[in-house]
Amino acid sequence: MPCEECENGKVKWGKTGDCQYDSIAECEEANKDYYEKTTSIVELVIADDSQELAIDAISLVTSPAIEQDFVYFGKEKNNLTFAKVDEEKRMLVSPALIPNKQIFRHDPNTDSDYYVYFSKETVRKASELYLKHNNHHKATYQHQDRVSGVLTVESWIKEGDQDKSKLYGYDLPNGTWFVKMKIENDELWNKIKDGELKGLSIEGYFTDKMEKMSEKTPTTEEILSALNEIINENQTK
């Protein structure tokens, strides 16, 4: 029963809650007892047999799972950072994956809620495989239809305080994967300018780290490392 955005821009708790919160973070904080008692945290890693599809495509969506909207290059007077960039280039910049960002998920098969996250190492590896297997030209709309006219023209990992992502107004952790995309699809570009599409969401194949480890006999060090990561994530939640 996650927090959901309402049509009026507010946020509600579950399907039947009132649209009373100003943000998902506020909604989750107000209902943190539910999350703390009923949810688990799972690290996702890249499956060895699916590296080509680790990031199969990037989708333009209304509600990005990583809860960070993208920015497009426009000429609005309050958008000074981008005023020197010609809007006709139709570019947008967005984080694609944020390391250790807990992303809410619901499993309808077990009716259970949980969070997933990606380590810095997995984020970097995913960004590299995305380019290695030429998936930079693959994009979808709302995780459904494959669309044309969307191309990733830049891809980088934030590595320090001087990272160029700050020029675009982002203040995200080191290890965040950013992309710059050129939008030549008229329909999608209009949806971006109108605010209908707000961010990016990855499409790929990952596996539960603990399940992957169970397929072989893990060493004591691997078990302790995995447990420590889970404990640390719970403490910093």
Side-chain angles (χ1 to χ4, degrees), residues 104-142:
F104 183 84
R105 286 291 178 262
H106 177 77
D107 185 348
N109 295 320
T110 60
D111 193 28
S112 60
D113 298 335
Y114 62 103
Y115 285 94
V116 300
Y117 75 97
F118 303 89
S119 69
K120 284 185 179 180
E121 179 182 356
T122 299
V123 171
R124 178 177 291 278
K125 186 175 181 180
S127 70
E128 293 171 352
L129 290 172
Y130 172 71
L131 296 179
K132 177 180 178 180
H133 295 290
N134 295 317
N135 291 327
H136 60 286
H137 64 285
K138 296 180 180 179
T140 64
Y141 170 69
Q142 300 285 29

Side-chain angles (χ1 to χ4, degrees), residues 133-177:
H133 295 290
N134 295 317
N135 291 327
H136 60 286
H137 64 285
K138 296 180 180 179
T140 64
Y141 170 69
Q142 300 285 29
H143 286 301
Q144 295 179 3
D145 301 325
R146 183 64 61 88
V147 293
S148 61
V150 179
L151 179 69
T152 298
V153 294
E154 285 189 41
S155 171
W156 76 93
I157 299 292
K158 179 182 177 182
E159 296 182 339
D161 292 338
Q162 302 305 313
D163 187 79
K164 64 181 177 181
S165 61
K166 289 200 170 186
L167 297 175
Y168 303 128
Y170 289 111
D171 187 14
L172 293 172
N174 289 338
T176 297
W177 174 25

Side-chain angles (χ1 to χ4, degrees), residues 183-200:
I183 312 297
E184 295 180 328
N185 184 303
D186 292 341
E187 182 179 359
L188 291 178
W189 184 246
N190 287 330
K191 289 180 183 293
I192 291 169
K193 291 197 299 180
D194 293 341
E196 179 178 340
L197 293 176
K198 298 181 178 180
L200 305 181

